[in-house]
Amino acid sequence: MTICAVSVIAAMILATALMYDKSVTTAEASVKTDAHIISEAVESLGGAYLENAAFGDNIRVTWINNRGQVLFDTEEEPEELENHSDRKEISEAFVK
């Protein structure tokens, strides 16, 4: 009985870990796609696109230049935000 219980718990832990990994991978891909779409829109339409876009209440968009200066943010005034150049989270995938 103990072996069965341990086996079931181990299987549940493994399944949870696999599902978590899959959801993280899916979320990362989604963020990269969204960042690419926004980037292309800004390249085509200029910065006015960001001011006029309706991103929704649960989406935060922060646009920074290659020096880390915040140019646009959906929640804060850009000049009130610190420089982002020292942040390790900034992925090369988002930097042109």
Side-chain angles (χ1 to χ4, degrees):
M1 184 88 128
T2 304
I3 293 173
C4 286
V6 170
S7 297
V8 168
I9 291 171
M12 289 175 57
I13 291 171
L14 180 62
T16 301
L18 291 173
M19 292 298 291
Y20 175 78
D21 185 55
K22 177 67 175 165
S23 67
V24 167
T25 302
T26 302
E28 286 175 348
S30 178
V31 167
K32 285 181 182 181
T33 299
D34 292 347
H36 180 72
I37 291 168
I38 292 170
S39 173
E40 290 299 320
V42 171
E43 296 273 332
S44 297
L45 305 172
Y49 166 77
L50 295 170
E51 298 293 337
N52 297 323
F55 293 110
D57 293 337
N58 61 344
I59 297 174
R60 183 173 187 175
V61 175
T62 303
W63 193 262
I64 62 172
N65 65 15
N66 58 0
R67 294 181 312 276
Q69 177 186 10
V70 177
L71 304 174
F72 173 83
D73 188 85
T74 54
E75 293 183 7
E76 303 284 336
E77 292 298 321
E79 53 275 352
E80 295 177 12
L81 296 170
E82 74 277 356
N83 189 289
H84 287 48
S85 63
D86 61 346
R87 294 193 179 189
K88 294 179 182 178
E89 300 93 35
I90 298 175
S91 169
E92 291 296 322
F94 301 126
V95 178
K96 283 195 169 191

